[in-house]
Amino acid sequence: MKARTRAALAAPALTLAAMFAVAGPAAADTGTAQGDLTPVPLNGVDGSGTAMVWVDGTTLTVQVEATGLLAGSPHAAHIHYGADARNQCPTAADDADGSGTITTSEGVPSYGTVQVSLTTSGDTSPDSALAVDRFDTAEGGKITYERGEIEVSQDLADDILAGDAAVVVHGVDYDGSGAYDGDAKSDLDPSLPAEATDPALCGIVTASQMTDMPTGGVQTGSGGTQGTENLGLLVAGGAALAVGGGLLGAGVVSRRRTHRTDA
Ligand SMILES: [Cu+2]
């Protein structure tokens, strides 16, 4: 009996602990960081863009809009940060080997390493840094990216809110051929041309006034967007059906009353 009582007392205590554990992240910092994306020097990109990051505890929603990118090609995009980095975008002085271009590696002393891969679906960790099939393709040279529910470490969330993270969009066209090609190999993956991975646009995102989340709710990348939207429609449809059913029920009731009054 005594053991049973103890167990019964322990259960609510655990539940309470679980509730606090859930409440923890929600009580963490929230805020937004945003920045303008500008061409990485020497890399021949005539483009621009904006990046916005909503931070809610350790969950990010990221929006990136950019133009002037190589059309019809996928553009890897990441949040970069480095504790030892300058937390700036590269300058022409970062062309360490004097090749006349800034490679991704040459940008690392300024913007740090890949922390988040801004993929359209699936994994968002640095493991997906070169998952070219899961990055946005620049239709007409433009990308419009939005994804929510990106989980990061508390440290990175703090670094972003501190204004130390960079959003970098990769993929350039040095020879103007209209495709990723050329003899120069990527410093990240020699099976890819350097054009596919060299940085095109960069922007440091810094704390900004709290801005409303994207309208239409948090979407989970273009891969997951479809599903989320459908889910939203399903839910909305279900609600409408419930309301409709209620109205129908009311109609039936009033009709009955009318009948009764007539009778
Ligand atoms: Cu990157």
Side-chain angles (χ1 to χ4, degrees):
M1 270 310 265
K2 214 168 189 181
R4 208 173 188 180
T5 310
R6 235 178 253 143
L9 282 172
L14 271 175
T15 307
L16 206 63
M19 281 171 66
F20 274 113
V22 169
D29 282 350
T30 61
T32 58
Q34 67 182 93
D36 292 331
L37 305 181
T38 57
V40 170
L42 303 181
N43 287 3
V45 175
D46 182 16
S48 63
T50 56
M52 175 88 79
V53 182
W54 288 262
V55 181
D56 183 1
T58 55
T59 306
L60 308 183
T61 298
V62 179
Q63 212 175 50
V64 178
E65 288 183 10
T67 55
L69 296 165
L70 176 60
S73 292
H75 290 268
H78 315 114
I79 295 176
H80 285 247
Y81 170 78
D84 300 327
R86 299 200 305 272
N87 303 317
Q88 293 169 1
C89 286
T91 68
D94 286 306
D95 177 21
D97 65 1
S99 67
T101 62
I102 304 285
T103 64
T104 292
S105 304
E106 286 173 335
V108 169
S110 54
Y111 51 50
T113 56
V114 172
Q115 303 294 322
V116 176
S117 298
L118 299 175
T119 55
T120 54
S121 65
D123 176 60
T124 55
S125 79
D127 293 344
S128 296
L130 291 179
V132 181
D133 56 332
R134 287 189 289 119
F135 287 106
D136 273 331
T137 295
E139 303 299 345
K142 184 176 180 181
I143 59 170
T144 304
Y145 174 85
E146 186 180 305
R147 183 164 178 181
E149 293 169 19
I150 298 171
E151 288 302 320
V152 298
S153 69
Q154 185 64 60
D155 280 350
L156 183 62
D158 292 344
D159 296 329
I160 291 169
L161 287 178
D164 289 335
V167 169
V168 182
V169 180
H170 302 258
V172 300
D173 186 19
Y174 293 131
D175 58 9
S177 69
Y180 294 148
D181 52 17
D183 293 336
K185 301 297 172 204
S186 166
D187 54 330
L188 302 182
D189 178 351
S191 73
L192 296 171
E195 289 185 344
T197 63
D198 281 1
L201 299 172
C202 174
I204 298 293
V205 288
T206 56
S208 64
Q209 291 229 314
M210 194 67 184
T211 310
D212 286 343
M213 292 279 280
T215 51
V218 178
Q219 299 175 344
T220 49
S222 46
T225 300
Q226 223 81 2
T228 310
E229 276 172 0
N230 290 344
L231 192 67
L233 285 173
L234 268 176
V235 171
L241 202 67
V243 170
L247 286 174
L248 195 67
V252 169
V253 168
S254 64
R255 214 175 298 140
R256 271 192 198 138
R257 274 187 192 139
T258 311
H259 278 277
R260 222 176 270 160
T261 315
D262 286 350

